[in-house]
């Protein structure tokens, strides 16, 4: 691509970024064209934005059309020079004498324009004045046209900032709602084990008064068990709360070794057999996060297995932009009506066939990591058919 083409491409991108094309009329811009027409004493004034094939008028006075082809626009010439264009008599200017708006109605004879230059230095359009008789502008009028053109750019940029602020405000509102929900759920789920421990402590007091030592020991064991469950919950919550993809360093990760390491950690399930695909890649990514995703999926496959004697498969498919990993098991399976729910915070399914008691944070953390990373996660499963968790991981 030539330097000129590249510059033009960047110019078009700068224009698009304003998200202004084909928007309704706006008083902030109409005020500027009105003022330009007053100051230069012309019947026609407009703000023209130049795309690759047309000029579109954001504001116009004295003309009725919404746009013209770029090839018949006066303003195309403004892109080719730094200083403003003033054509005192279009019939004496090579660039304009054959223009259809000069040779035909409304028979333009005078044209002056000042470029709209974006903060990145791109000429995105012009502020123009026109007349049907030849004309001269004073230095003050020319200067005023330049000032109004700068004001038009300020309007464009303010308008964009305002739009961005609206989007951010909406994002903040959603984040706040999520936070409220989170606090509500956390306080409920943290209160429950504390209340449990409290009531066991009451029983202990009664045991001590009654001198019932076997019950004391049983109840102490219960307290320890519940405290451990609570520690688990707090640990999970902390992990869920702190994961942020953008803060993590990237490094080379051998996925096969990573998964093998995680399988080795699950020694409590000696009757489970793991099958790793030979295609598991070596990639450069945030190791801690990928590890957290696999750790949760693999430990779920183990701990929710209904017989404890089964298989787990870890596989991958590679595409141009991403990997799709899957962790499959031949466990009890998950009914389709629960597929969306299990990725929510604190959602766990009660089932008689498995004694595993989780906090319901694992898959919510996994989903948060995968989506933060720009990927997607989903499950394919039905009761009695095992479960396959898929997630994509952008390269
Ligand atoms: P936890 O952190 O408590 O393990 P998760 O959020 O990881 O909870 O999982 C939510 C629920 O999804 C679990 O309570 C379990 O019922 C179900 N589940 C997750 N993985 C599997 C699986 N491989 N097989 C069967 N059920 C599963």
């Amino acid at each position: 691509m030539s330097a000129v083409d590249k510059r033009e491409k960047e110019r078009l991108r700068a224009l698009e970024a304003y998200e202004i094309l084909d928007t309704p009329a706006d008083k902030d811009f109409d005020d500027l064209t009105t003022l330009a027409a007053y100051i230069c004493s012309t019947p026609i004034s407009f703000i023209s934005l130049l795309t690759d094939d047309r000029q579109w008028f954001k504001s116009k006075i004295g003309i009725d059309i919404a746009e013209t082809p770029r090839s018949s626009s006066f303003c195309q010439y403004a892109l080719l020079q730094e200083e403003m264009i003033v054509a005192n008599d279009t019939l004496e200017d090579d660039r304009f004498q054959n223009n259809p708006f000069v040779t035909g109605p409304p028979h333009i004879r005078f044209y002056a324009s000042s470029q709209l230059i974006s903060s990145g230095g791109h000429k995105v359009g012009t502020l123009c004045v026109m007349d049907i008789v030849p004309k001269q502008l004073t230095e003050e009028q020319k200067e005023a046209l330049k000032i109004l053109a700068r004001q038009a750019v300020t309007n464009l940029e303010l308008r964009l900032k305002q739009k961005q602020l609206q989007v951010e405000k909406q994002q903040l509102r959603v984040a706040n709602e999520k936070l409220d929900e989170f606090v509500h759920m956390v306080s409920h789920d943290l209160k429950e084990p504390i209340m449990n421990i409290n009531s066991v402590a009451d029983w202990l007091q009664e045991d001590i008064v009654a001198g019932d030592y076997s019950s004391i020991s049983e109840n102490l064991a219960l307290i320890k068990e519940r405290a451990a469950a609570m520690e688990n919950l707090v640990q999970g919550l902390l992990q869920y709360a702190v994961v942020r993809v953008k803060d993590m360093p990237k490094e080379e990760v051998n996925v096969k070794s990573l998964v093998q390491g995680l399988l080795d950690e699950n020694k409590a399930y000696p009757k489970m057999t793991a099958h790793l695909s030979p295609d598991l890649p070596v990639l450069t990514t945030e190791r801690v996060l990928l590890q957290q995703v696999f750790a949760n999926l693999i430990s779920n496959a183990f701990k929710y297995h209904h017989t404890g004697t089964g298989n787990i498969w870890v596989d991958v498919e590679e595409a141009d932009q991403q990997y799709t990993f899957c962790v499959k098991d031949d466990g009890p399976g998950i009914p389709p009506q629960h597929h969306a729910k299990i990725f929510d915070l604190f959602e766990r399914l009660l089932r008689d066939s498995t004694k595993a008691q989780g906090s319901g944070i694992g898959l919510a953390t996994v989903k948060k990591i995968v989506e933060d990373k720009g990927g997607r996660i989903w499950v394919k499963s039905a009761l009695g058919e095992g479960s396959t968790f898929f997630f994509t991981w952008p390269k």
Side-chain angles (χ1 to χ4, degrees), residues 47-333:
I47 288 172
S48 154
L49 299 164
L50 273 109
T51 75
D52 55 342
D53 62 352
R54 62 181 174 138
Q55 74 164 335
W56 177 79
F57 304 120
K58 174 61 193 164
S59 170
K60 52 190 191 275
I61 286 175
I63 49 171
D64 242 358
I65 41 176
E67 61 185 28
T68 74
R70 176 168 163 164
S71 54
S72 59
S73 74
F74 284 64
C75 297
Q76 61 183 305
Y77 298 101
L79 301 190
L80 306 176
Q81 65 182 61
E82 299 308 315
E83 52 304 343
M84 66 186 297
I85 294 186
V86 183
N88 296 327
D89 187 347
T90 52
L91 291 182
E92 287 174 11
D93 192 311
D94 292 346
R95 294 171 294 185
F96 305 121
Q97 59 196 190
N98 295 318
N99 184 289
F101 297 102
V102 174
T103 53
H107 299 285
I108 299 298
R109 292 292 300 275
F110 167 76
Y111 167 71
S113 78
S114 181
Q115 293 91 341
L116 307 187
I117 300 174
S118 73
S119 50
H122 296 288
K123 301 185 194 94
V124 292
T126 53
L127 171 67
C128 314
V129 285
M130 284 179 163
D131 208 334
I132 50 170
V133 291
K135 195 173 210 115
Q136 305 257 349
L137 288 186
T138 63
E139 285 310 309
E140 287 80 8
Q141 283 172 316
K142 287 182 197 166
E143 192 53 37
L145 212 52
K146 285 186 203 165
I147 293 171
L148 291 175
R150 284 202 295 274
Q151 190 56 43
V153 175
T154 305
N155 281 357
L156 283 174
E157 301 202 332
L158 274 178
R159 192 184 155 277
L160 189 64
K161 287 226 170 73
Q162 222 167 12
K163 276 184 91 170
Q164 285 164 345
L165 275 177
Q166 287 293 343
V167 171
E168 278 166 27
K169 207 168 130 187
Q170 176 60 14
Q171 284 169 342
L172 268 179
R173 198 176 2 236
V174 171
N176 268 335
E177 277 168 18
K178 277 194 177 165
L179 196 65
D180 277 353
E181 237 173 77
F182 181 73
V183 170
H184 186 74
M185 285 189 293
V186 171
S187 55
H188 170 266
D189 273 54
L190 280 179
K191 261 192 226 152
E192 205 179 72
I194 293 173
M195 273 155 52
N196 272 331
I197 290 175
N198 236 336
S199 50
V200 182
D202 286 343
W203 301 341
L204 258 180
Q205 264 175 343
E206 289 166 19
D207 293 342
I208 289 166
V209 171
D212 183 347
Y213 287 99
S214 72
S215 183
I216 287 175
S217 140
E218 252 171 53
N219 282 330
L220 275 174
L222 252 182
I223 286 186
K224 278 196 76 159
E225 196 181 290
R226 286 173 186 180
M230 196 167 151
E231 192 186 336
N232 219 348
L233 183 68
V234 171
Q235 185 75 16
L237 272 177
L238 288 176
Q239 275 184 7
Y240 177 83
V242 300
V243 285
R244 297 262 183 290
V245 167
K246 60 178 185 315
D247 302 337
M248 296 278 170
K250 285 189 179 184
E251 60 190 289
E252 196 176 272
V253 179
N254 181 328
V255 179
K256 199 163 176 200
S257 330
L258 182 139
V259 170
Q260 192 55 57
L262 292 168
L263 290 167
D264 294 344
E265 278 175 24
N266 285 276
K267 289 211 175 73
Y269 308 92
K271 292 184 186 153
M272 294 289 291
T273 311
H275 312 267
L276 303 194
S277 158
D279 299 334
L280 290 176
V282 175
L283 55 102
T284 303
T285 195
E286 299 85 350
R287 171 189 290 277
V288 180
L289 297 180
L290 189 61
Q291 178 162 340
Q292 223 172 325
V293 172
F294 272 119
N296 274 292
L297 296 180
I298 289 171
S299 87
N300 279 355
F302 282 128
K303 81 180 173 198
Y304 294 116
H305 202 284
H306 54 314
T307 65
T309 305
N311 294 280
I312 160 167
W313 294 264
V314 180
D315 208 343
V316 66
E317 244 177 57
E318 184 173 356
D320 276 356
Q321 310 285 330
Q322 65 185 29
Y323 293 99
T324 303
F325 291 103
C326 78
V327 177
K328 179 178 170 189
D329 63 57
D330 52 3

Side-chain angles (χ1 to χ4, degrees), residues 296 300-301 303-304 329 332-334 342 347-349 351 358-364 387 389:
N296 274 292
N300 279 355
K303 81 180 173 198
Y304 294 116
D329 63 57
I334 303 164
I342 53 171
E347 280 297 345
R348 55 214 142 171
L349 310 176
R351 200 182 296 112
S359 54
I361 302 174
L363 286 177
S387 310
F389 285 85

